[in-house]
Amino acid sequence: MALIVSLLALAAAHRCASLSRAACSAAGDIDDPPLPLRRSLLARFRERRALAVIDITATEWCDKQMEFVLEHGRPERTEAMKAGSDRHAQLEEVVIERVDVAIRTAEESWAVKFMNFIVGTNQLLFDGITRENFRWSWMAGVIDEIRMPTDGASSHPILVDTKTRSKPTIPSEAHKRNGRLQLMCYKYLWDNLNTEKFPAENFFIYFDLNPNFLLSDDVKWYISSLGFDAKI
């Protein structure tokens, strides 16, 4: 995990080092107080929230572009990006029915994510496939598709990530490498959740959540509609 986190912090560390050198060369008096260093991108933009898989892959693709996105926001979506989102939505509708739920707090947001995760996992066990399955372990990601093998040779799920392209060409090696990194992160999330006990207390503390929070009627209705007890 430390290796993965360091990818996002690498750009910030390089920038801080450059700022330090510039400050030293521009100083006219050795007694002048040193300029304060900026906090890392990881501390500034991902504090009290999970590190996203896309944070890792976007940083590997272009660390300066990722830095620009964090500091100035994402650029306007292109037609190719919209087409990719539409394709993902089409694939999701094959196995999942979306339901609108009014979410007002961080506690309710996580409650719905947990329920979607449980439903997706049950769907995988009984139907052999699920899509857009949210996984987390201090790093979070939405796996496009998880399916069980149908040949009987293995009982291990297959993780699938769907990529769309604006042109009918074979992806470059750089694109393939970035896609492999994304699946590696998903594999890490899958293995971690299936082999380690979920640290509930640390989870509530890290994300600053109230474990005794009373969910709204809308969220409780959604949980009940899935067949689970939602009295609290």
Side-chain angles (χ1 to χ4, degrees):
M1 184 61 183
L3 176 61
I4 295 175
V5 173
S6 66
L7 290 174
L8 185 60
L10 183 60
H14 176 75
R15 180 185 176 94
C16 288
S18 300
L19 289 173
S20 299
R21 288 193 295 269
C24 290
S25 61
D29 189 339
I30 196 172
D31 294 327
D32 288 344
L35 295 175
L37 294 179
R38 297 177 64 184
R39 298 172 67 205
S40 70
L41 296 177
L42 187 65
R44 290 165 56 198
F45 296 100
R46 293 297 180 263
E47 189 174 23
R48 296 298 179 187
R49 58 175 295 184
L51 184 70
V53 169
I54 193 174
D55 293 333
I56 305 299
T57 57
T59 301
E60 190 275 338
W61 180 255
C62 180
D63 57 348
K64 294 304 294 182
Q65 183 183 62
M66 182 62 184
E67 181 180 351
F68 184 87
V69 167
L70 289 174
E71 294 187 337
H72 303 286
R74 296 190 178 278
E76 185 176 350
R77 299 177 72 221
T78 64
E79 290 301 320
M81 296 168 65
K82 294 177 182 178
S85 298
D86 291 341
R87 179 54 179 161
H88 276 77
Q90 292 171 2
L91 293 172
E92 182 183 4
E93 289 175 356
V94 174
V95 295
I96 295 177
E97 180 181 356
R98 281 190 170 271
V99 178
D100 292 329
V101 182
I103 297 175
R104 301 174 180 82
T105 66
E107 285 83 359
E108 292 182 349
S109 176
W110 277 106
V112 171
K113 289 177 181 177
F114 275 116
M115 294 310 305
N116 290 342
F117 161 73
I118 293 173
V119 171
T121 302
N122 287 339
Q123 186 181 43
L124 176 65
L125 294 175
F126 291 103
D127 299 337
I129 187 173
T130 187
R131 292 193 61 85
E132 303 298 326
N133 192 258
F134 179 79
R135 296 271 164 169
W136 71 97
S137 178
W138 317 122
M139 179 171 67
V142 178
I143 305 175
D144 285 349
E145 182 178 312
I146 310 174
R147 68 167 75 113
M148 299 301 295
T150 57
D151 56 7
S154 173
S155 60
H156 298 289
I158 301 173
L159 309 183
V160 180
D161 187 69
T162 303
K163 298 295 185 185
T164 58
R165 295 182 61 78
S166 58
K167 299 179 180 179
T169 57
I170 298 176
S172 65
E173 182 56 36
H175 281 95
K176 293 179 181 178
R177 183 187 65 245
N178 198 258
R180 287 194 294 267
L181 175 61
Q182 187 170 354
L183 283 172
M184 287 169 60
C185 292
Y186 291 154
K187 180 66 164 56
Y188 166 83
L189 292 174
W190 176 270
D191 290 345
N192 196 63
L193 279 178
N194 285 281
T195 59
E196 297 184 10
K197 183 180 179 180
F198 183 71
E201 183 176 354
N202 292 340
F203 172 82
F204 286 117
I205 294 175
Y206 180 81
F207 291 105
D208 195 22
L209 301 174
N210 177 11
N212 299 314
F213 182 84
L214 297 180
L215 300 175
S216 67
D217 291 338
D218 289 335
V219 175
K220 287 190 289 187
W221 169 87
Y222 174 65
I223 296 175
S224 297
S225 69
L226 299 176
F228 295 92
D229 188 3
K231 295 181 180 179
I232 298 179

